[in-house]
Amino acid sequence: MNNLVKINSERCKSCGLCIHVCPKDVLTIGEIANSKGYYTVEMKDQTMCIACAFCALICPDLALEVYREEKGK
Amino acid sequence: MKPIFTKTKGLTDRPFHYCPGCTHGIIHRLIGELLEEMNLIEKTIGVAPVGCSGFCENYFACDMIGAAHGRAVAVATGAKRARPDRFVFTYQGDGDGASIGLAETISAAARGERITSIFVNNAIYGMTGGQMAPTSLIGQKTSTSPYGRDAETMGFPLDLPKILTQVEGAVYVASVSVDSPQGIKEAKKALRRAFQVQLDGLGYSFVSILSTCPTNWGVNPVEALEWLQTKMKPHFALGELKVPTIEGGDAV
Ligand SMILES: Cc1ncc(C[n+]2csc(CCOP(=O)(O)OP(=O)(O)O)c2C)c(N)n1
Ligand code: SF4
Ligand code: SF4
Ligand code: SF4
């Protein structure tokens, strides 16, 4: 699998709710701070992502978009 | 790649001012998504409260009016009566809708105003520094109940949606929570039905949404979700508490 969670780092506030609800432990707080000083979320293991969009559903700050890899494309 | 989840056009691109992990943002998104999905952006007038969400007029992509504290439903009543062709909603905190605005809320329900109120219950006054709200739980520590809310001197929490079920003009009343992906999907369903009740001209629709305030509860965002689940949910009636008896048409 190569699904993608696209992260808009400038909107992320490092709240950790996406990490809390991800069933596959795909996300983590990274080591790069955005312009407001928040250490923003990163995908640590993209191959595990099942594109369930739980992370995007719970993100209060619209920082996440989810894309599913299409077979044979 | 196939988009599974992208940002709705029902919200502007402006980043939210809310604290990290505050679930006001989730509720904003659900409303924005429904405005887009139900093709309402161009015909909606939203009314903003006073409270942390007082700046929500910056975020919804529809027309917005800012009301004085507690008066959002009164302002919405005027907007809807002047422009019955518009979809009109209020966005209010529990302090706004159940404390200073309690009379306005119940009166609008009694009149069966064809508007929709979204009531964000975080059991506290967020904006002003975490004072006790009518919805604060027994034992809950707030800046004005530092030893915990004591029923003897401070009374009991008010379950506003439960009360509104007794008011004839309130035709759709639901109480939901945004503490999990599942809960968020159910909250969206309830909001969709509430919006439809207004579009069908049936009467007042009201959706209470249990929400977090990590900052004033003094916990981190994940702990706040857990506090909502374990402490708040058992104390408030949840689900679709009242649904219209007649679907469609003008009659209640
Ligand atoms: C007439 C008036 N009285 C009091 C206030 C102070 N005040 C501002 S917001 C607020 C309560 C907000 O709490 P809530 O409605 O629960 O919203 P939250 O901030 O928690 O989202 C109060 C008492 C005011 N602005 N105007
Ligand atoms: S889409 Fe699902 S599996 Fe992928 S990161 Fe988000 S929550 Fe985790
Ligand atoms: S839920 Fe959103 S704001 Fe919070 S850490 Fe995840 S991406 Fe950032
Ligand atoms: S004070 Fe509470 S309700 Fe207000 S933005 Fe912060 S977390 Fe949200």
Side-chain angles (χ1 to χ4, degrees):
Chain A
M1 274 182 296
N2 220 354
N3 301 318
L4 176 68
V5 177
K6 207 170 138 195
I7 299 153
N8 182 343
S9 303
E10 274 306 307
R11 288 194 76 121
C12 176
K13 294 180 185 158
S14 201
C15 72
L17 295 187
C18 54
I19 300 170
H20 177 67
V21 298
C22 174
K24 296 290 176 189
D25 196 19
V26 172
L27 304 168
T28 188
I29 302 282
E31 285 173 9
I32 299 167
N34 66 15
S35 68
K36 293 204 180 77
Y38 292 116
Y39 290 95
T40 61
V41 154
E42 291 174 357
M43 283 183 106
K44 68 177 170 192
D45 189 357
Q46 190 176 358
T47 61
M48 291 296 287
C49 176
I50 55 172
C52 65
F54 281 8
C55 52
L57 273 176
I58 205 135
C59 176
D61 283 284
L62 289 147
L64 305 175
E65 290 190 338
V66 181
Y67 296 88
R68 177 173 287 142
E69 184 182 42
E70 286 174 287
K71 293 270 154 0
K73 283 196 185 163
Chain B
M1 293 196 107
K2 186 171 173 256
I4 303 294
F5 186 102
T6 54
K7 186 185 154 293
T8 172
K9 293 184 180 65
L11 295 173
T12 64
D13 285 331
R14 197 135 159 192
F16 297 148
H17 67 283
Y18 301 107
C19 305
C22 172
T23 49
H24 263 304
I26 300 175
I27 301 166
H28 281 26
R29 193 191 70 230
L30 296 181
I31 296 168
E33 287 174 357
L34 287 171
L35 292 179
E36 181 182 1
E37 288 165 25
M38 297 173 83
N39 214 5
L40 291 172
I41 300 174
E42 293 303 322
K43 64 172 282 195
T44 296
I45 302 170
V47 185
V50 169
C52 284
S53 51
F55 298 117
C56 72
E57 49 212 19
N58 292 328
Y59 308 132
F60 294 112
C62 57
D63 286 340
M64 295 292 295
I65 309 174
H69 200 17
R71 276 52 179 172
V73 272
V75 171
T77 297
K80 183 72 178 189
R81 288 192 177 209
R83 295 299 303 265
D85 58 317
R86 297 290 146 139
F87 176 79
V88 179
F89 76 89
T90 70
Y91 187 103
Q92 299 171 267
D94 48 305
D96 196 82
S99 187
I100 190 168
L102 183 61
E104 278 77 3
T105 307
I106 294 194
S107 302
R111 296 191 306 267
E113 296 298 342
R114 274 104 171 123
I115 57 177
T116 304
S117 290
I118 295 125
F119 175 77
V120 179
N121 179 1
N122 56 16
I124 207 154
Y125 289 177
M127 184 199 195
T128 41
Q131 293 83 359
M132 194 181 78
T135 44
S136 295
L137 306 180
I138 298 297
Q140 186 179 337
K141 288 189 175 132
T142 69
S143 60
T144 49
S145 59
Y147 305 109
R149 182 176 189 166
D150 174 13
E152 189 60 32
T153 51
M154 301 169 213
F156 297 91
L158 203 60
D159 196 347
L160 185 56
K162 209 165 145 189
I163 294 166
L164 287 173
T165 60
Q166 304 301 310
V167 181
E168 206 170 322
V171 296
Y172 181 80
V173 181
S175 174
V176 292
S177 170
V178 288
D179 58 85
S180 65
Q182 178 64 23
I184 291 165
K185 287 181 186 171
E186 281 165 22
K188 187 167 174 183
K189 261 190 225 157
L191 286 167
R192 189 189 296 277
R193 290 199 74 180
F195 284 19
Q196 194 58 50
V197 159
Q198 178 181 164
L199 294 172
D200 292 343
L202 299 182
Y204 185 60
S205 53
F206 182 94
V207 181
S208 166
I209 307 185
L210 301 186
S211 186
T212 64
C213 178
T215 300
N216 287 299
W217 293 355
V219 293
N220 73 37
V222 171
E223 289 165 349
L225 285 188
E226 288 161 359
W227 195 87
L228 195 168
Q229 284 161 351
T230 57
K231 298 282 197 287
M232 264 179 99
K233 281 172 94 171
H235 288 279
F236 293 101
L238 286 169
E240 285 190 307
L241 305 179
K242 188 175 183 183
V243 295
T245 41
I246 308 163
E247 297 265 329
D250 271 332
V252 176

